[in-house]
Amino acid sequence: MANPRRTSYSSNPLPISDPTPQFQSQTPQTAATLLTSLKVFLKKPHAFPFLLSIFLLLTWVSLRFQHRYANPSFHQSSYTVNEKGGGYVKDSNANVVKFPSFSSLVMKDKRGWLINPVSIALDADVPGGAVSCASIHVGEIRPGRVRGNHRHHTCNETFVIWGAKTVFRLENNAVKKGYSEVTIGADEVAVAVSPSGTAHALVNIDAIRTTFFLGCQDSVMNNNGSTTDYNIWNDL
Ligand SMILES: *[C@@H]1O[C@H](CO)[C@@H](O)[C@H](O)[C@H]1NC(C)=O
Ligand SMILES: *[C@@H]1O[C@H](CO)[C@@H](O)[C@H](O)[C@H]1NC(C)=O
């Protein structure tokens, strides 16, 4: 009399099912035996669809990962990525637009990048920036150092930030923490906007490189203390 279990196995058209009970009964199985069985299996013609499926699976996984890391919108929902004009990443919560320094949007020829921060902010629809520069500050921030961490009440300011891994923090009372942050990579150029009355800070979080920045303000400040609040965040 036929064993119903065996029958069900032998009726299975896939020969891969047959060795399965043997594998289970032979534990502990040495790695060498497993390897030999695998070699024998792979030499058979029916291994081809199996290998093809594994290859397709790996391709799918690698494409998903590439897409994930190429597209920051997976990390932060407020990002929008614009592929037109060379591509940029915009974070509306932190008023930042950033691009790889080799993006055709900022690098028109082999000499390197060149931008007009005021028009980039306007074109990318980042509101509240300086429309003209009445006062300009250019400077560096060494690794681990912070600039800003203050709130101007009498000027809108538009920044250009590049050169090192840098965090731009902008006061934003619409989010729970009270501020939004964007990390700018060492190979990126960012335009950031801080409207009048909004606190901002630039933090160099790079281990070795220096951050460079330009700040364009639409009024001349006399820094007498009544127009700016200092030391806004004490975690910086
Ligand atoms: C700042 O921008 C606002 C509009 O966003 C404008 O009304 C204001 O005049 C600008 N300048 C200053 C110094 O506030
Ligand atoms: C500080 O500057 C503002 C204008 O920016 C002015 O109105 C104010 O009188 C100044 N205060 C002092 C103490 O100089």
Side-chain angles (χ1 to χ4, degrees):
M1 206 174 109
N3 181 340
R5 199 161 159 260
R6 288 285 329 152
T7 314
S8 79
Y9 273 110
S10 55
S11 68
N12 192 322
L14 279 180
I16 188 175
S17 306
D18 260 327
T20 314
Q22 288 171 21
F23 277 126
Q24 282 166 352
S25 62
Q26 282 176 11
T27 45
Q29 182 73 255
T30 66
T33 327
L34 270 174
L35 204 64
T36 316
S37 317
L38 190 66
K39 273 183 192 162
V40 169
F41 170 69
L42 289 179
K43 274 179 192 154
K44 293 183 183 169
H46 58 246
F48 181 71
F50 174 75
L51 287 175
L52 192 66
S53 328
I54 290 198
F55 175 74
L56 285 175
L57 182 76
L58 288 176
T59 311
W60 179 78
V61 166
S62 98
L63 282 176
R64 271 205 74 93
F65 270 86
Q66 274 179 19
H67 189 57
R68 177 174 289 257
Y69 289 110
N71 185 350
S73 63
F74 279 96
H75 302 303
Q76 202 168 336
S77 57
S78 61
Y79 273 123
T80 56
V81 177
N82 188 322
E83 300 300 343
K84 282 184 292 184
Y88 62 78
V89 170
K90 174 179 159 186
D91 186 317
S92 305
N93 284 339
N95 275 4
V96 170
V97 180
K98 61 176 190 172
F99 4 69
S101 54
F102 48 81
S103 156
S104 60
L105 191 66
V106 293
M107 191 160 125
K108 303 277 193 288
D109 57 46
K110 286 180 179 159
R111 289 174 296 177
W113 62 269
L114 177 75
I115 63 166
N116 176 340
V118 170
S119 60
I120 280 186
L122 292 173
D123 289 350
D125 242 337
V126 179
V131 179
S132 62
C133 306
S135 163
I136 294 178
H137 296 81
V138 181
E140 63 173 14
I141 309 167
R142 294 185 180 164
R145 304 293 175 170
V146 179
R147 278 195 190 271
N149 198 7
H150 55 212
R151 183 191 292 116
H152 301 307
H153 288 285
T154 56
C155 78
N156 304 299
E157 191 161 11
T158 299
F159 295 95
V160 183
I161 302 160
W162 74 98
K165 197 171 181 185
T166 309
V167 169
F168 179 76
R169 182 186 285 192
L170 184 73
E171 186 173 29
N172 181 352
N173 294 318
V175 300
K176 207 174 161 193
K177 280 188 291 189
Y179 61 80
S180 292
E181 286 184 339
V182 165
T183 301
I184 299 143
D187 294 326
E188 291 179 316
V189 181
V191 172
V193 161
S194 179
S196 187
T198 313
H200 53 261
L202 284 69
V203 187
N204 181 338
I205 56 166
D206 205 293
I208 43 174
R209 281 167 287 221
T210 295
T211 300
F212 298 99
F213 75 98
L214 174 146
C216 151
Q217 301 176 329
D218 63 359
S219 74
V220 180
M221 313 245 302
N222 66 3
N223 285 327
N224 66 6
S226 63
T227 58
T228 299
D229 309 325
Y230 296 96
N231 299 318
I232 308 295
W233 294 291
N234 52 24
D235 63 317
L236 295 180

